[in-house]
Amino acid sequence: MKDLNVINCTAYSNGINSPLEYLNITTPAEFKVVMELLCHYDDEKKSASISHTGIARDTAMSVSNVERALKTLAQKDIIRIRHNYAGNGRQVQNSYEVAFLNYDMDEDKLRDAELALKFKS
Protein backbone atom coordinates (compact mmCIF):
# COMPACT_ATOMS: atom_id res chain seq x y z
CA MET A 1 0.00 0.00 0.00
CA LYS A 2 1.16 3.55 -0.63
CA ASP A 3 2.73 5.75 2.02
CA LEU A 4 -0.13 7.40 3.91
CA ASN A 5 1.89 10.60 4.24
CA VAL A 6 1.36 11.32 0.55
CA ILE A 7 -0.65 14.52 0.12
CA ASN A 8 -3.43 12.88 -1.96
CA CYS A 9 -4.10 10.36 0.78
CA THR A 10 -5.20 13.14 3.11
CA ALA A 11 -7.66 14.62 0.61
CA TYR A 12 -10.61 13.53 2.74
CA SER A 13 -9.57 15.60 5.75
CA ASN A 14 -11.17 18.82 4.46
CA GLY A 15 -13.45 18.85 7.51
CA ILE A 16 -16.31 17.21 5.60
CA ASN A 17 -16.47 13.66 6.97
CA SER A 18 -13.97 11.01 7.79
CA PRO A 19 -13.79 7.61 6.12
CA LEU A 20 -13.47 6.18 9.63
CA GLU A 21 -17.19 6.82 10.07
CA TYR A 22 -17.83 4.06 7.51
CA LEU A 23 -15.88 1.38 9.38
CA ASN A 24 -19.13 0.20 10.96
CA ILE A 25 -20.72 -0.67 7.62
CA THR A 26 -17.77 -1.89 5.57
CA THR A 27 -15.73 -5.04 5.56
CA PRO A 28 -11.94 -4.77 5.92
CA ALA A 29 -11.55 -5.39 2.17
CA GLU A 30 -14.05 -2.64 1.30
CA PHE A 31 -12.33 -0.23 3.66
CA LYS A 32 -8.93 -0.94 2.06
CA VAL A 33 -10.40 -0.23 -1.37
CA VAL A 34 -11.95 3.07 -0.22
CA MET A 35 -8.62 4.15 1.29
CA GLU A 36 -6.84 3.28 -1.97
CA LEU A 37 -9.38 5.32 -3.94
CA LEU A 38 -8.63 8.26 -1.65
CA CYS A 39 -4.93 7.92 -2.49
CA HIS A 40 -5.80 8.41 -6.17
CA TYR A 41 -8.46 11.07 -5.66
CA ASP A 42 -8.30 14.02 -8.09
CA ASP A 43 -9.75 17.24 -6.63
CA GLU A 44 -10.43 18.74 -10.07
CA LYS A 45 -12.25 15.73 -11.48
CA LYS A 46 -13.86 14.92 -8.11
CA SER A 47 -13.14 11.24 -8.63
CA ALA A 48 -10.40 8.64 -8.47
CA SER A 49 -9.16 6.78 -11.54
CA ILE A 50 -7.30 3.53 -11.08
CA SER A 51 -7.56 0.08 -12.59
CA HIS A 52 -8.74 -2.97 -10.69
CA THR A 53 -5.24 -4.39 -11.13
CA GLY A 54 -3.72 -1.24 -9.65
CA ILE A 55 -5.99 -1.39 -6.61
CA ALA A 56 -5.21 -5.10 -6.17
CA ARG A 57 -1.47 -4.45 -6.36
CA ASP A 58 -1.52 -1.56 -3.89
CA THR A 59 -3.80 -3.30 -1.37
CA ALA A 60 -2.29 -6.81 -1.66
CA MET A 61 -5.71 -8.19 -2.61
CA SER A 62 -6.74 -10.34 -5.56
CA VAL A 63 -8.43 -8.66 -8.51
CA SER A 64 -11.61 -10.68 -7.89
CA ASN A 65 -11.72 -9.49 -4.26
CA VAL A 66 -11.24 -5.90 -5.43
CA GLU A 67 -14.06 -6.27 -7.95
CA ARG A 68 -16.32 -7.77 -5.26
CA ALA A 69 -15.50 -4.93 -2.84
CA LEU A 70 -16.16 -2.29 -5.51
CA LYS A 71 -19.51 -3.91 -6.32
CA THR A 72 -20.65 -4.01 -2.69
CA LEU A 73 -19.39 -0.47 -2.03
CA ALA A 74 -21.50 0.71 -4.97
CA GLN A 75 -24.52 -1.22 -3.65
CA LYS A 76 -24.09 0.53 -0.30
CA ASP A 77 -23.78 3.87 -2.16
CA ILE A 78 -20.39 4.55 -0.56
CA ILE A 79 -18.88 4.89 -4.03
CA ARG A 80 -20.32 5.55 -7.46
CA ILE A 81 -18.69 3.95 -10.47
CA ARG A 82 -18.40 5.89 -13.71
CA HIS A 83 -17.56 3.77 -16.77
CA ASN A 84 -15.24 5.64 -19.15
CA TYR A 85 -14.78 4.98 -22.86
CA ALA A 86 -12.17 6.03 -25.40
CA GLY A 87 -13.15 7.75 -28.63
CA ASN A 88 -13.17 4.42 -30.48
CA GLY A 89 -15.69 2.94 -28.00
CA ARG A 90 -13.18 0.83 -26.08
CA GLN A 91 -13.65 0.89 -22.32
CA VAL A 92 -10.81 2.47 -20.36
CA GLN A 93 -10.30 2.46 -16.60
CA ASN A 94 -13.30 3.46 -14.52
CA SER A 95 -13.42 6.46 -12.26
CA TYR A 96 -14.92 6.36 -8.79
CA GLU A 97 -16.71 9.04 -6.81
CA VAL A 98 -16.50 8.71 -3.04
CA ALA A 99 -19.61 9.56 -1.01
CA PHE A 100 -18.12 11.62 1.78
CA LEU A 101 -16.28 13.78 -0.78
CA ASN A 102 -18.80 14.17 -3.59
CA TYR A 103 -22.42 13.53 -2.72
CA ASP A 104 -24.96 12.77 -0.03
CA MET A 105 -25.43 9.06 0.40
CA ASP A 106 -28.75 7.33 -0.01
CA GLU A 107 -29.67 6.77 3.64
CA ASP A 108 -31.89 3.76 2.82
CA LYS A 109 -29.01 1.91 1.15
CA LEU A 110 -26.73 2.80 4.04
CA ARG A 111 -29.22 1.55 6.63
CA ASP A 112 -29.78 -1.70 4.68
CA ALA A 113 -26.02 -2.29 4.52
CA GLU A 114 -25.62 -1.66 8.23
CA LEU A 115 -28.43 -4.12 9.07
CA ALA A 116 -26.98 -6.74 6.74
CA LEU A 117 -23.61 -6.52 8.48
CA LYS A 118 -25.23 -6.89 11.91
CA PHE A 119 -27.00 -10.08 10.85
CA LYS A 120 -23.85 -11.40 9.18
CA SER A 121 -21.74 -11.25 12.36
Side-chain angles (χ1 to χ4, degrees), residues 25-27 29-31 33-34 37 66 68-80 103:
I25 59 160
T26 59
T27 65
E30 292 169 344
F31 188 74
V33 169
V34 169
L37 293 177
V66 167
R68 189 176 307 113
L70 288 168
K71 181 180 175 183
T72 57
L73 286 167
Q75 289 171 344
K76 294 176 182 180
D77 201 33
I78 294 173
I79 65 168
R80 292 188 180 163
Y103 58 87

Side-chain angles (χ1 to χ4, degrees), residues 7-88:
I7 293 172
N8 281 347
C9 288
T10 59
Y12 60 84
S13 61
N14 299 350
I16 302 170
N17 282 316
S18 167
L20 296 176
E21 294 177 24
Y22 299 104
L23 271 175
N24 294 333
I25 59 160
T26 59
T27 65
E30 292 169 344
F31 188 74
K32 284 170 68 172
V33 169
V34 169
M35 294 306 292
E36 184 62 21
L37 293 177
L38 291 175
C39 289
H40 294 274
Y41 183 76
D42 183 345
D43 284 326
E44 290 180 19
K45 295 180 181 177
K46 297 203 180 289
S47 64
S49 293
I50 183 172
S51 67
H52 294 177
T53 307
I55 295 171
R57 179 191 61 239
D58 292 347
T59 59
M61 294 169 56
S62 69
V63 174
S64 61
N65 282 341
V66 167
E67 290 170 348
R68 189 176 307 113
L70 288 168
K71 181 180 175 183
T72 57
L73 286 167
Q75 289 171 344
K76 294 176 182 180
D77 201 33
I78 294 173
I79 65 168
R80 292 188 180 163
I81 302 171
R82 190 174 342 140
H83 302 284
N84 299 319
Y85 298 90
N88 62 4

